Amino acid sequence: MSAGHSHLKDLDYSVVQQCMHCGLCLPTCPTYDATKLERHSPRGRIALMRAIADDRLTITKTFGEEMYFCLGCLACQTACPAGVNYAELFEHARAEIEEKKILANPKRNLIRGFTVSWLFMDLRRLELLGKALRLYQQLGLQALIRRSGVLRLLPKRLQELEAMTPSVCDKFSAELIAPITSAGDTKKYRVAMLTGCAQDLTFSDVNRDTVEVLAQNGCEVFTPAEQSCCGSLHAHNGEWTLAQQLARRNIDQFPPEQFDAIITNAGGCGSHLKHYAKLLVDDPAYLKRAELWDARVNDIHEWLVQITIRNPEAGIRNQVVTYHESCHLTHGQKVVSQPRELLKAIPGLLLVELPEANWCCGSAGIYNLTQPEMAGQLLDRKIAHIKSTGATTVATANPGCLLQLINGAAKAGLKLRVVHPMTLLAEAYHAEDRDRHST
Amino acid sequence: MPLANATLARLREIVGAENVLTSPEDLIAYSFDGTAAMQQLPGAVVFATTTEQVAQILKHANRTKTPVVTRGSGTGLSGGSLPIPGCIVLCTVKMNRILELDRANLTILVEPGVTTLAVSDAATAAGLFYPPDPGSMKISTIGGNVAENSGGLRGLKYGITRNYVMGLEVVLPDGEILWTGNKCVKDVAGYSLRDLFIGSEGTLGVITKVLLRLIPKPAAKKTMVATFAQMDAAAQCVSDIIAAQIIPCTLEFLDRTTIRCVEDFAKVGLPLDCEALLMMETDGHPAAVAEEAAKMEECARKNGAMEVRVAKDEAEANKLATARRSAFSALARLAPTTILEDATVPRSELAKMIRFVAAVAKKYNLRVGTFGHMGDGNLHPTFLTDERNKEEMHRVEEAFKEIFDEAIRLGGTITGEHGIGMAKKSFLPKFAGDAQMRVMRELRRALDPNGILNPGKMFDR
Ligand SMILES: Cc1cc2nc3c(=O)[nH]c(=O)nc-3n(C[C@H](O)[C@H](O)[C@H](O)COP(=O)(O)OP(=O)(O)OC[C@H]3O[C@@H](n4cnc5c(N)ncnc54)[C@H](O)[C@@H]3O)c2cc1C
Ligand code: SF4
Ligand code: SF4
């Protein structure tokens, strides 16, 4: 990109100017709530972006840090009556920060280079890493190393990170799901299933459950073994060009005209996947298909409610379940009622509302790695609310949230099952078979 | 304009270094309030957490003649908490404790940075009611509400902030701490200084504690929405309701443009095919509520209402009120800059004023969305413009001048609830007249001889 290029300045000024600084978003912003500082509020952050667009401020290190202190949870976007597109502002701000290399330092470059530019660009690499990790965990090495006390030699931050390493699933999606899953004679739709990266690495069983639920509801599911990352990690972390590459790759692999729906079950991915047209707006070769793609991408809950599911006849016996909203499902995609509706369709399941259900859990992509303190505060708050409901199970539809809550419950010594709604639904359909066999 | 090093050092000593902000990124974030097209960087931003700290900050500022702009949540709509060059912004949001809820005397004592919503929630939790509910209530501070004497959606029946303030703790510009008022229902000892500080827009002292009156929660309420094909019909409906000697708690008005914006945001199913919408609420004893609601509905129908919809439960009623509260911000969907007005007229003149605003908008070729507290005669015609379009901004100014003149001619005021601040400073002398201006000037000089509190706001000394 040219030297004079600036994401924030090139952005249509009306987007930057849209905020009329009424402050109505402030009480919904977790970082403002915690600090009471305007700079850590949506209104303050937008003011800084506008100052940059107006040449009243240059891209400073403080600005860069501010944009990475923001969770990107988009609660402000839901709260804003003026229709400010915070997601767009935020991604452009981060892209500019990365281009100007304002936060560059050897450690950060190494980590980002490794994850954003290398690992998540080719999922075979991620899978390989996952296999190594799985081996590390299965061979008991993790337990051994944890017991040995060697970890205590690590800096505290790293110790905590080690404790957070997700338990890698025994099998990846490709090992669990056939490339084509038939819907039997009930086939009404042909859909594609995006397996996601974090989801695939740590929650491939959720993907399997999702595919099963789809098949139970008349959908023939196309799930190719080798898939690409959706690019949300890249876009949220300022890697615009890489995000564009990944978008093109996905459109090529899942030609949108061939499917009734392209399904994602991870809130964070879906929120990004639905905006490929914005990403590829300067690419005439792809723009039209990107628009169709955006229209075809559906969050699993949204899709299932739209096609009206067959309510499971059997269910789960007397489970009290509460539901935590993934930010990018709720604020990013406005899919709020559907997951609750689906959960309520399960016989025997009692859904209790979680106080502050739509408040970020602190996972926020890789935020819990980059801002452990703020993330920790948010997690404690979330776990306390979950406790207050008396639920034994919490359902949530994003791998980052699943991991965060699993870790939070463990840390708090809380016996809590953390699941994706699709797993509960799949279990209910399985229970039908069980009941059928037993009668 | 940065502050003197000695001043910064003193401020850090008083409140701790973490509560003194000077980086450009921080100053930019405090360089505006909710008012359109105004910005100014302060010298520093300071957070106090106790009255004592406020007193010490003011003492130092007074000695060094450093201007101080008090700020709550910065939602003000007349530039009241807009910084002035080289000033200290004294922010109260960290003084946010609820100190006491007195069930025997039905009062609540709070620090100034507590949000209006938090006061309302605390009252509700005790089975009581704090009626003033400005559109910004979920973030506006009580200190800001008192300093602006804010109104809300329930002003018609329950009055405004002033009617609930029983006592105030105020730090004077020289650092002296003053209490005015108490928990007594009656108190005529001396001048009512309390009333002087209410609506003083941060020019006379810094409010550090607020004692508020609470009232019993009404046993029932009914909320309804009526739509009309003409603005006049809605205005007539309001007049008829008042003439029928009903004082509903809410009589809010939205025009077509505003309805569309609000619905676009809140998705509460407002009808989009009408020119005017009235949101009406009555509360009190269940029997009275039922009777009043029926009469209000009748008034609406008699004036040709296209539809009258009654909220089925509390949740729906709350949704409607929340949607109404978003009106001003939602209008910003249509234009980069939204400048709203606050002219208020006696209720009997309302229909005339509405027609006048429409005519002025037409004359100056401006887009306008109007909403407001119709029952209070307080409308907010909001011009939809772009601050970068200098020529259009000039026309907006001209239009406002005419609207203010007309409001005064009809026996009204240039601001019903948003205050003078910077935005209406030039109109105040004409409205208030020489005698009032002289007394206000002398009062201000007596309390703030060095002119450190919000200088340049409301009027020049
Ligand atoms: C969307 C929206 C809707 C609104 N709806 C209404 C409405 O319905 N009715 C209404 O009346 N207003 C309304 N307002 C205006 C505004 O919210 C009120 O004026 C509110 O009271 C300001 O509170 P604040 O905490 O934001 O104060 P600020 O804006 O920070 O300050 C306002 C003024 O009060 C002074 N001040 C603040 N705290 C103190 C203190 N502790 N001691 C002394 N002076 C102090 C400041 O110096 C300034 O002059 C609305 C604003 C917005 C953005
Ligand atoms: S982002 Fe929206 S809600 Fe927040 S201050 Fe700006 S206009 Fe108001
Ligand atoms: S995205 Fe979340 S953390 Fe960032 S400004 Fe908006 S509400 Fe605050």
Side-chain angles (χ1 to χ4, degrees):
Chain A
M1 283 194 187
S2 70
H5 165 84
S6 155
H7 276 268
L8 288 169
K9 275 187 213 161
D10 293 353
L11 203 62
D12 185 352
Y13 196 71
S14 64
V15 179
V16 191
Q17 209 183 4
Q18 191 70 40
C19 171
M20 41 92 74
H21 33 92
C22 63
L24 293 189
C25 53
L26 265 58
T28 51
C29 173
T31 55
Y32 179 76
D33 185 69
T35 61
K36 298 282 183 279
L37 297 189
E38 280 281 348
R39 195 225 283 175
H40 301 323
S41 81
R43 177 169 71 168
R45 290 179 175 128
I46 296 168
L48 293 182
M49 296 185 217
R50 186 166 175 182
I52 286 168
D54 288 347
D55 275 328
R56 284 179 285 120
L57 181 73
T58 51
I59 300 268
T60 57
K61 187 155 176 278
T62 311
F63 174 75
E65 286 166 357
E66 187 52 58
M67 290 309 143
Y68 279 91
F69 188 51
C70 168
L71 293 149
C73 70
L74 305 185
C76 49
Q77 197 161 306
T78 298
C80 175
V84 168
N85 188 341
Y86 187 80
E88 191 174 356
L89 284 164
F90 169 74
E91 287 187 354
H92 281 279
R94 280 199 177 174
E96 185 146 357
I97 290 159
E98 292 315 319
E99 274 172 37
K100 300 264 154 68
K101 302 202 181 340
I102 203 86
L103 295 177
N105 70 46
K107 196 172 112 208
R108 184 173 189 271
N109 293 355
L110 192 73
I111 296 177
R112 284 180 59 92
F114 176 64
T115 53
V116 183
S117 311
W118 189 78
L119 192 58
F120 283 87
M121 280 310 283
D122 184 342
L123 294 187
R124 275 169 308 193
R125 294 172 191 154
L126 189 66
E127 192 174 318
L128 213 63
L129 177 81
K131 283 188 174 143
L133 213 58
R134 189 198 289 167
L135 212 62
Y136 167 70
Q137 288 166 342
Q138 282 176 348
L139 289 178
L141 274 175
Q142 187 166 38
L144 197 71
I145 288 185
R146 280 181 182 169
R147 258 200 318 270
S148 74
V150 173
L151 288 171
R152 254 174 286 145
L153 301 176
L154 293 176
K156 187 152 182 304
R157 270 281 308 282
L158 279 180
Q159 281 183 36
E160 284 175 10
L161 282 187
E162 201 280 341
M164 276 173 35
T165 36
S167 298
V168 176
C169 275
D170 290 348
K171 293 195 162 68
F172 294 104
S173 297
E175 303 165 68
L176 291 176
I177 308 168
I180 306 266
T181 306
S182 137
D185 347 318
T186 59
K187 178 183 164 185
K188 278 190 246 152
Y189 309 97
R190 183 174 146 77
V191 305
M193 172 72 199
L194 303 176
T195 46
C197 1
Q199 184 83 299
D200 193 21
L201 185 64
T202 55
F203 298 107
S204 51
D205 46 345
V206 173
N207 285 337
R208 181 203 53 213
D209 297 339
T210 307
V211 169
E212 282 181 18
V213 170
L214 281 165
Q216 285 280 354
N217 284 286
C219 301
E220 177 184 84
V221 192
F222 173 63
T223 321
E226 267 173 30
Q227 302 198 10
S228 295
C229 172
C230 66
S232 80
L233 185 68
H234 307 78
H236 294 320
N237 287 283
E239 295 293 349
W240 211 248
T241 320
L242 297 182
Q244 288 168 331
Q245 262 181 39
L246 290 166
R248 289 192 201 96
R249 238 194 256 168
N250 274 317
I251 294 176
D252 287 340
Q253 188 177 19
F254 301 95
E257 54 284 353
Q258 294 180 13
F259 299 100
D260 295 307
I262 299 166
I263 302 291
T264 163
N265 59 10
C269 305
S271 169
H272 177 73
L273 285 160
K274 287 175 174 173
H275 300 288
Y276 275 3
K278 265 224 155 109
L279 200 60
L280 297 174
V281 68
D282 295 325
D283 184 345
Y286 273 87
L287 183 57
K288 271 258 136 0
R289 296 178 75 205
E291 282 166 356
L292 185 64
W293 165 278
D294 289 357
R296 289 278 195 274
V297 171
N298 268 269
D299 170 70
I300 180 69
H301 310 88
E302 181 180 38
W303 172 251
L304 290 175
V305 168
Q306 194 184 313
I307 63 173
T308 318
I309 62 156
R310 176 178 74 73
N311 284 355
E313 286 154 27
I316 303 176
R317 289 183 189 111
N318 302 328
Q319 254 196 63
V320 183
V321 178
T322 192
Y323 174 67
H324 159 65
E325 300 180 16
S326 129
C327 293
H328 282 219
L329 193 56
T330 284
H331 304 301
Q333 301 183 58
K334 309 278 183 262
V335 175
V336 181
S337 61
Q338 295 95 325
R340 291 178 167 89
E341 249 176 79
L342 295 174
L343 288 170
K344 281 188 199 149
I346 300 175
L349 185 153
L350 178 69
L351 185 68
V352 284
E353 265 306 309
L354 177 65
E356 292 187 352
N358 64 4
W359 196 257
C360 182
C361 66
S363 158
I366 52 174
Y367 191 89
N368 50 6
L369 306 184
T370 56
Q371 306 279 354
E373 202 172 308
M374 186 71 221
Q377 276 183 33
L378 288 169
L379 180 57
D380 292 347
R381 180 167 175 160
K382 183 61 67 182
I383 294 292
H385 281 313
I386 294 175
K387 245 185 184 162
S388 79
T389 63
T392 49
T393 301
V394 58
T396 188
N398 189 50
C401 306
L402 286 165
L403 271 181
Q404 178 84 339
L405 296 183
I406 290 172
N407 283 321
K411 217 176 84 193
L414 186 66
K415 221 175 138 304
L416 183 73
R417 183 170 181 223
V418 185
V419 287
H420 193 289
M422 285 309 116
T423 301
L424 293 174
L425 210 60
E427 281 173 9
Y429 286 128
H430 285 174
E432 288 177 343
D433 289 342
R434 176 201 66 204
D435 287 9
R436 240 171 258 139
H437 289 304
S438 57
T439 47
Chain B
M1 202 160 62
L3 290 182
N5 282 335
T7 296
L8 287 174
R10 178 71 190 119
L11 291 172
R12 292 194 179 105
E13 216 172 86
I14 299 170
V15 295
E18 71 282 6
N19 284 318
V20 180
L21 312 179
T22 54
S23 78
E25 291 80 2
D26 277 312
L27 300 187
I28 287 172
Y30 290 89
S31 63
F32 50 81
D33 64 359
T35 319
M38 287 188 182
Q39 71 186 25
Q40 171 61 50
L41 289 176
V45 180
V46 177
F47 295 87
T49 48
T50 64
T51 303
E52 212 30 64
Q53 289 177 352
V54 173
Q56 292 189 33
I57 293 167
L58 291 195
K59 249 181 217 154
H60 180 86
N62 198 34
R63 208 172 50 234
T64 54
K65 300 205 168 51
T66 312
V68 175
V69 176
T70 313
R71 177 184 166 111
S73 288
T75 66
L77 296 176
S78 54
S81 56
L82 184 79
I84 54 170
C87 79
I88 298 169
V89 163
L90 172 55
C91 191
T92 63
V93 294
K94 292 190 183 175
M95 299 176 80
N96 59 354
R97 289 176 307 161
I98 293 179
L99 300 171
E100 181 202 72
L101 194 139
D102 181 342
R103 287 165 201 262
N105 289 303
L106 305 191
T107 60
I108 186 168
L109 179 67
V110 299
E111 292 185 331
V114 173
T115 62
T116 321
L117 181 64
V119 171
S120 168
D121 284 349
T124 307
L128 295 166
F129 185 33
Y130 178 70
D133 61 341
S136 49
M137 70 183 289
K138 66 177 184 174
I139 186 69
S140 68
T141 65
I142 272 297
N145 289 175
V146 174
E148 296 287 4
N149 191 11
S150 299
L153 274 52
R154 307 183 183 118
L156 179 57
K157 176 168 175 182
Y158 290 106
I160 52 181
T161 305
R162 179 185 303 281
N163 305 108
Y164 296 85
V165 179
M166 297 193 74
L168 293 175
E169 182 187 79
V170 182
V171 180
L172 299 172
D174 61 2
E176 190 170 5
I177 300 165
L178 166 152
W179 241 112
T180 166
N182 48 48
K183 289 184 183 173
C184 301
V185 180
K186 306 163 84 170
D187 172 16
V188 294
Y191 297 144
S192 176
L193 293 182
R194 178 187 64 198
D195 282 294
L196 181 61
F197 289 105
I198 299 170
S200 63
E201 302 188 17
T203 64
L204 300 179
V206 177
I207 298 158
T208 45
K209 284 194 187 83
V210 184
L211 179 70
L212 294 164
R213 181 168 75 96
L214 302 176
I215 61 174
K217 197 161 177 52
K221 74 172 179 184
K222 214 166 205 148
T223 308
M224 60 183 100
V225 164
T227 51
F228 299 87
Q230 264 123 28
M231 287 235 232
D232 275 8
Q236 192 55 49
C237 173
V238 169
S239 299
D240 289 357
I241 289 173
I242 309 265
Q245 297 185 358
I246 299 171
I247 301 290
C249 109
T250 294
L251 274 182
E252 291 289 310
F253 162 83
L254 305 178
D255 74 354
R256 177 190 276 272
T257 308
T258 315
I259 298 167
R260 284 183 179 269
C261 290
V262 168
E263 180 56 24
D264 203 21
F265 164 63
K267 310 217 163 35
V268 284
L270 297 182
L272 297 173
D273 56 349
C274 58
E275 279 307 315
L277 179 153
L278 283 182
M279 208 186 97
M280 314 190 277
E281 188 169 289
T282 155
D283 64 0
H285 187 278
V289 166
E291 194 187 320
E292 287 188 358
K295 275 198 196 149
M296 281 153 68
E297 186 171 344
E298 194 187 308
C299 287
R301 299 224 183 267
K302 227 177 56 208
N303 283 290
M306 302 158 66
E307 191 197 331
V308 182
R309 181 177 126 197
V310 179
K312 61 177 185 308
D313 52 20
E314 172 111 21
E316 192 183 346
N318 285 342
K319 262 197 197 154
L320 286 170
T322 307
R324 155 60 191 92
R325 286 198 191 96
S326 73
F328 169 48
S329 309
L331 276 169
R333 292 174 168 250
L334 293 182
T337 310
T338 37
I339 306 192
L340 96 166
E341 236 0 281
D342 186 28
T344 304
V345 294
R347 279 192 288 255
S348 54
E349 307 296 323
L350 198 65
K352 254 184 240 163
M353 193 65 197
I354 291 177
R355 279 194 293 272
F356 185 81
V357 170
V360 168
K362 200 159 165 210
K363 174 174 167 194
Y364 289 99
N365 190 20
L366 293 166
R367 274 204 299 166
V368 66
T370 301
F371 64 95
H373 318 292
M374 204 170 216
D376 307 346
N378 181 195
L379 286 187
H380 297 311
T382 305
F383 288 107
L384 309 170
T385 174
D386 184 341
E387 61 191 283
R388 290 176 304 166
N389 182 344
K390 295 283 169 255
E391 186 271 329
E392 187 169 274
M393 287 294 278
H394 179 70
R395 277 185 279 135
V396 170
E397 268 169 45
E398 292 301 311
F400 279 147
K401 275 188 205 151
E402 290 205 21
I403 291 174
F404 292 145
D405 282 345
E406 179 70 3
I408 296 173
R409 208 182 59 77
L410 293 173
T413 168
I414 54 178
T415 169
E417 57 179 15
H418 297 159
I420 297 290
M422 292 294 272
K424 267 159 243 162
K425 189 175 149 185
S426 59
F427 301 99
L428 183 62
K430 182 170 174 189
F431 170 71
D434 291 344
Q436 280 204 81
M437 288 307 293
R438 181 180 65 79
V439 175
M440 287 197 285
R441 279 205 175 91
E442 283 173 12
L443 270 171
R444 188 166 174 183
R445 264 189 232 127
L447 285 171
D448 184 14
N450 289 337
I452 61 156
L453 280 188
N454 231 352
K457 305 288 175 68
M458 212 189 267
F459 52 83
D460 290 320
R461 285 157 29 92

